[in-house]
Amino acid sequence: MTLIKFALPSMTRIRSLLAGATLLCTLSFAQVNAPVPILCYHGFASDTSALQGKLTEKYGRFDKMLEFLIDHGYQTVFPEELEVEEVDIKKPVILTFDDGRKEQLRAAEMMNKRGMRGIFFIVPSRISSAGRSEFLTKEDLAILWELGHQIGVHGFSHRSMVESPEETEAVRTQSLPVIQEAIHMQRVFPSFAYPFGHYDTSVVQVVSEFYRYLHTVNPGYWDGRSKHIPRTLITNDRPEEFFQEYILKSSEYQPSLSSLLKDGSQANVVPFRVIKPVT
């Protein structure tokens, strides 16, 4: 076996993680039995002029992705549904939405028209009845639940839990109570998404006390059982075919790389051990 390293651009830590996720989008950190593709969306906009960074997707492209999934027989699921032996889902896909942005409500309604569901990761400190104009309110969360979607937790104030002990403590003591009060109709909150994708062993220990599924921005496919769930970030600088290919190749996926890091990396160089030839 050979040791290789992926060098990321010299940018901020957050942008490095995003670049690394895009670079490695077809790779996974875990042995996969039934590979499940997971898409991670953030902001949405109606046209190109309204785009705010690479993580803002156009509604038109999102609509095409939903049609693509339906045309190819994919069914949107929640992670816990795949751990029920009686459930037989041939082509599962998980759709996730980070940051609790207001424009995601329209995306949820678009999904609802097709009978599709997703997990919306909310930043607890941004929730209020009145609400900041760019974020979802309590009333919006109730609409999401009524449409059949699931609410997940995304930190507390959306700060790196690796770099901020205060954020980690707030996640431990405040996040779940705030979310439970805001959307009391949903009784169980199994999913958590790390802010910026940052985590280390101490962070994992804290959030594992409260959440079954820990969503990363480590790219790849989920094996249907691991605590950590990889996700492919949707970015507007990639063509639609790039993400469609990621979806379609899940059934053919064979692990090629093994991560040499114990923790979620914030480094600019990510080392892997090659198990099979990499194209």
Side-chain angles (χ1 to χ4, degrees):
M1 293 185 288
T2 307
L3 174 65
I4 64 174
K5 294 184 178 181
F6 290 96
L8 306 183
S10 179
M11 300 182 284
T12 63
R13 287 181 175 178
I14 295 172
R15 292 182 63 192
S16 294
L17 282 169
L18 298 183
T22 301
L23 176 65
L24 303 175
C25 74
T26 59
L27 308 176
S28 177
F29 298 105
Q31 187 73 22
V32 177
N33 286 338
V36 181
I38 308 96
L39 301 180
C40 177
Y41 289 90
H42 286 76
F44 287 90
S46 297
D47 53 55
T48 303
S49 63
L51 296 179
Q52 299 180 8
K54 293 182 179 181
L55 294 180
T56 305
E57 178 68 305
K58 289 190 288 188
Y59 287 115
R61 288 214 329 170
F62 181 64
D63 189 67
K64 290 181 181 179
M65 175 58 80
L66 298 182
E67 284 299 313
F68 172 84
L69 293 172
I70 291 176
D71 291 345
H72 288 81
Y74 285 90
Q75 181 178 345
T76 55
V77 299
F78 300 140
E80 59 271 25
E81 295 173 335
L82 296 180
E83 294 195 316
V84 179
E85 292 184 2
E86 294 76 15
V87 175
D88 184 19
I89 301 175
K90 301 297 184 184
K91 289 187 173 182
V93 62
I94 300 175
L95 303 183
T96 68
F97 305 81
D98 284 11
D99 297 348
R101 299 193 61 83
K102 192 80 168 181
E103 64 264 25
Q104 293 175 355
L105 195 58
R106 178 178 168 185
E109 293 167 348
M110 293 168 65
M111 295 169 64
N112 185 62
K113 292 179 181 179
R114 297 173 171 83
M116 306 175 82
R117 305 167 297 158
I119 306 174
F120 289 78
F121 288 101
I122 310 302
V123 180
S125 67
R126 295 173 177 171
I127 304 172
S128 69
S129 292
R132 291 166 58 182
S133 59
E134 68 265 40
F135 297 115
L136 297 167
T137 66
K138 292 181 180 180
E139 293 75 15
D140 295 330
L141 298 185
I143 292 174
L144 286 176
W145 185 83
E146 291 169 359
L147 291 175
H149 302 291
Q150 187 179 100
I151 304 302
V153 182
H154 194 29
F156 180 75
S157 298
H158 203 282
R159 292 184 291 173
S160 170
M161 295 177 68
V162 174
E163 298 178 344
S164 172
E166 295 80 12
E167 176 78 359
T168 301
E169 179 62 16
V171 167
R172 190 181 70 82
T173 60
Q174 300 181 57
S175 289
L176 196 53
V178 170
I179 288 286
Q180 288 173 328
E181 191 277 330
I183 182 68
H184 56 83
M185 299 87 77
Q186 181 177 314
R187 297 175 183 242
V188 179
F189 296 82
S191 288
F192 180 91
Y194 298 112
F196 304 115
H198 293 182
Y199 65 93
D200 59 18
T201 51
S202 62
V203 167
V204 172
Q205 185 175 5
V206 169
V207 294
S208 294
E209 296 180 19
F210 306 98
Y211 306 98
R212 166 67 182 90
Y213 305 104
L214 309 180
H215 294 246
T216 72
V217 291
N218 300 341
Y221 302 95
W222 185 44
D223 61 9
R225 65 179 187 278
S226 297
K227 176 182 290 292
H228 276 111
I229 296 182
R231 298 185 295 167
T232 290
L233 289 170
I234 300 296
T235 59
N236 57 40
D237 61 339
R238 293 280 189 178
E240 298 168 24
E241 294 77 14
F242 179 85
F243 300 107
Q244 292 173 356
E245 187 77 358
Y246 161 73
I247 296 289
L248 293 176
K249 290 297 182 180
S250 61
S251 61
E252 305 173 16
Y253 175 71
Q254 295 294 329
S256 295
L257 306 178
S258 176
S259 173
L260 298 180
L261 298 174
K262 292 176 17 180
D263 301 334
S265 176
Q266 292 177 260
N268 288 335
V269 176
V270 183
F272 289 84
R273 178 177 290 111
V274 176
I275 300 174
K276 295 183 180 180
V278 178
T279 59

